[in-house]
Amino acid sequence: MKKSLILATVIGTSLLYSPAMAHGPHEHGVARMNISVDEATVEIALESPLANALSFEHAPASDAQRAEVQALAAKLRQPEKLFLLTKAAQCRSTGVSLASENLPPELLGEAAPAIETGVPGHPEKTHDKAEDEAHEEHAAHADLDASFTFTCDKPETLKDMDVQLFTAWPALHELEVQLVTPAGQQGAELTSKKHTLAW
């Protein structure tokens, strides 16, 4: 039993932090979610185009757009309303992390990153025009990366999750899920009509 838990944890960790998750294809209406269940801990990693959650994908350019980002972050920081785990398991949110290359961390409720000043005696790297254009094109289609942690008081009763993202984000039509539990690994596609994941 312990070996299967270790294996599930290793697989879950590799799923949550795999390069494919970090740089999946950008398709409006579709998001990806990896879930790892290990004893009393549930880890969820979500990657979605910003267009699924906001009316824009670029850096916010007005007070209204900044307010929209803050409202999004406020919803995501209440994950117990978005990911309804088996009630009997008594799970509670114990961590949320939000990031997007086009959204200021402070609007997402995250600490602002330290400013890099460069190393004395080493000139800053210069970018050519093609690199700048490629970066602008990528930034025009940005993603939201979110991770959530739950801790459950009665994990032995944990058996399902009702995902309410489709209600929160009407532009979301499909959620591709990879789930790892001590019992094994499975994949699923959730929609607004089929949004419960059981294991």
Side-chain angles (χ1 to χ4, degrees):
M1 180 67 177
K2 188 165 183 169
K3 284 185 179 177
S4 65
L5 283 175
I6 293 170
L7 180 59
T9 301
V10 169
I11 293 171
T13 303
S14 66
L15 275 174
L16 289 173
Y17 300 105
S18 68
M21 180 65 183
H23 303 288
H26 184 96
E27 184 180 350
H28 291 186
V30 178
R32 287 158 191 78
M33 186 166 71
N34 290 332
I35 306 166
S36 173
V37 179
D38 182 21
E39 297 183 354
T41 303
V42 179
E43 297 275 354
I44 301 171
L46 174 68
E47 179 190 12
S48 171
L50 282 178
N52 292 342
L54 296 171
S55 62
F56 59 94
E57 286 191 293
H58 53 76
S62 67
D63 287 343
Q65 289 181 343
R66 283 186 280 277
E68 189 178 344
V69 173
Q70 289 175 316
L72 166 66
K75 280 185 183 178
L76 291 172
R77 291 194 177 278
Q78 296 180 3
E80 62 280 356
K81 294 182 180 180
L82 298 173
F83 308 105
L84 309 181
L85 292 159
T86 310
K87 192 171 183 179
Q90 298 177 16
C91 302
R92 64 194 178 281
S93 171
T94 52
V96 177
S97 176
L98 308 175
S100 175
E101 62 187 13
N102 277 7
L103 302 179
E106 58 273 14
L107 291 183
L108 294 172
E110 299 285 336
I115 298 172
E116 294 182 25
T117 58
V119 179
H122 290 66
E124 295 290 328
K125 181 184 174 189
T126 58
H127 300 280
D128 63 26
K129 186 176 179 182
E131 285 178 323
D132 289 340
E133 288 175 356
H135 177 73
E136 286 174 13
E137 173 66 21
H138 180 70
H141 300 285
D143 289 333
L144 173 70
D145 295 306
S147 63
F148 309 91
T149 303
F150 289 87
T151 301
C152 305
D153 292 336
K154 296 184 177 179
E156 66 278 4
T157 65
L158 185 60
K159 62 183 180 181
D160 58 17
M161 176 192 297
D162 185 1
V163 179
Q164 295 294 305
L165 277 176
F166 298 98
T167 302
W169 299 352
L172 179 65
H173 304 295
E174 181 183 324
L175 186 59
E176 298 174 0
V177 179
Q178 288 294 319
L179 168 70
V180 177
T181 72
Q185 181 177 350
Q186 63 175 293
E189 284 188 7
L190 302 183
T191 66
S192 60
K193 293 183 179 177
K194 181 190 169 194
H195 46 80
T196 299
L197 187 67
W199 59 87

